[in-house]
């Protein structure tokens, strides 16, 4: 992939463990920014492309794959996502709101046992646009499990693993923490305050 071109848009990422409310908060943020006249692209990872669908099939238990193979699903899905969605939107000056991005891979794959340094170097070659703002919706794992309830069926959605993911997120730099244990409206206010500071 070529080096990331000059861009005029803004790139905002929402991160956090399963059950933290990223999808809902992304949707609310996109609506709020749209009401204020911004052109917004709301997206997510993994995508619905072929690599994203392959990851989801693995996560459901449809087949087995080594940790490095699962990492490859994410990397290839991200490359396609950047080329098809993220870079074009940023070049047009739009605000991109992404539900999960590189830090999800760093946290989840490190929690799965992959080398942290290897993971960090993989995404540091200039091919992957750097977000302007990364919001970590931090939620206690027990509360996340309670929120997901019987919907927690994928491989990563169990408390022992999510505890490790939370620890890995805490190791990462550049994340702004938003307390996701509060009511949805309060969490959104925290998200908006961070975005308002970014946009000035």
């Amino acid at each position: 992939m070529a080096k990331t071109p000059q861009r005029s848009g803004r790139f905002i990422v929402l991160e956090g463990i399963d059950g933290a409310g990223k999808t809902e908060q992304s949707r609310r943020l996109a609506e709020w920014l749209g009401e204020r006249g911004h052109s917004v692209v709301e997206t997510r990872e993994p995508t619905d492309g072929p690599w994203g669908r392959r990851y989801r099939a693995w996560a459901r238990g449809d087949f087995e794959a080594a940790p490095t193979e699962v990492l490859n699903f994410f990397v290839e899905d991200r490359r396609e996502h950047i080329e098809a969605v993220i870079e074009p939107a940023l070049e047009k000056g739009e605000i991109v709101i992404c539900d999960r991005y590189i830090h999800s891979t760093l946290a989840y794959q490190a929690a799965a046992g992959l080398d942290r340094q290897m993971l960090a170097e993989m995404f540091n070659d200039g091919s992957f646009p750097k977000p302007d703002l990364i919001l970590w919706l931090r939620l206690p794992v027990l509360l996340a499990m309670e929120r997901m309830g019987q919907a927690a069926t994928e491989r990563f959605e169990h408390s022992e693993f999510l505890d490790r993911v939370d620890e890995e997120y805490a190791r990462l730099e550049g994340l702004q923490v938003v307390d996701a244990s509060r009511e949805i409206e309060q969490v959104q206010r925290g998200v908006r305050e961070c975005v308002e500071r970014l946009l000035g």
Side-chain angles (χ1 to χ4, degrees):
M1 181 182 296
K3 297 294 182 180
T4 303
Q6 198 70 25
R7 74 194 199 200
S8 58
R10 295 287 191 168
F11 188 13
I12 300 169
V13 174
L14 277 73
E15 291 282 3
I17 62 172
D18 300 83
K22 298 176 301 304
T23 302
E24 175 68 16
Q25 294 301 330
S26 295
R27 183 187 64 78
R28 287 173 176 250
L29 177 61
E31 288 181 356
W32 179 73
L33 288 170
E35 289 168 357
R36 279 151 184 77
H38 295 283
S39 179
V40 181
V41 172
E42 184 185 358
T43 188
R44 66 172 183 167
E45 290 191 354
T47 72
D48 292 326
W51 290 101
R53 292 196 302 272
R54 187 159 178 77
Y55 161 73
R56 288 195 178 88
W58 171 83
R60 290 193 303 267
D62 293 355
F63 65 94
E64 297 302 318
T68 52
E69 292 180 272
V70 177
L71 174 62
N72 187 60
F73 301 159
F74 283 114
V75 173
E76 295 305 318
D77 184 55
R78 182 161 297 136
R79 290 188 188 280
E80 292 182 352
H81 189 207
I82 289 168
E83 183 176 357
V85 178
I86 296 174
E87 282 186 345
L90 293 175
E91 289 172 29
K92 288 191 291 186
E94 296 177 307
I95 297 176
V96 176
I97 300 173
C98 192
D99 175 354
R100 296 198 182 282
Y101 188 55
I102 288 172
H103 285 71
S104 276
T105 306
L106 298 178
Y108 276 76
Q109 301 312 118
L114 293 182
D115 182 75
R116 296 186 190 98
Q117 186 63 30
M118 178 273 290
L119 290 166
E121 290 174 357
M122 177 175 291
F123 298 111
N124 199 33
D125 67 354
S127 298
F128 301 89
K130 294 186 181 300
D132 297 292
L133 177 64
I134 307 169
L135 300 175
W136 177 18
L137 304 188
R138 194 170 195 184
L139 183 71
V141 171
L142 289 179
L143 183 52
M145 296 303 300
E146 180 180 317
R147 286 183 179 180
M148 288 189 288
Q150 294 183 346
T153 59
E154 293 190 351
R155 295 175 190 260
F156 289 157
E157 295 175 340
H158 57 87
S159 59
E160 181 181 349
F161 183 78
L162 292 180
D163 278 328
R164 298 201 300 273
V165 174
D166 182 74
E167 292 171 3
E168 293 297 334
Y169 269 122
R171 293 174 180 270
L172 300 174
E173 297 180 353
L175 289 77
Q176 294 193 33
V177 179
V178 176
D179 180 2
S181 67
R182 300 172 294 174
E183 295 297 324
I184 290 176
E185 292 78 9
Q186 293 176 308
V187 178
Q188 180 63 197
R189 280 199 294 273
V191 168
R192 291 175 184 177
E193 287 171 4
C194 295
V195 173
E196 284 178 325
R197 287 195 294 270
L198 170 68
L199 300 179

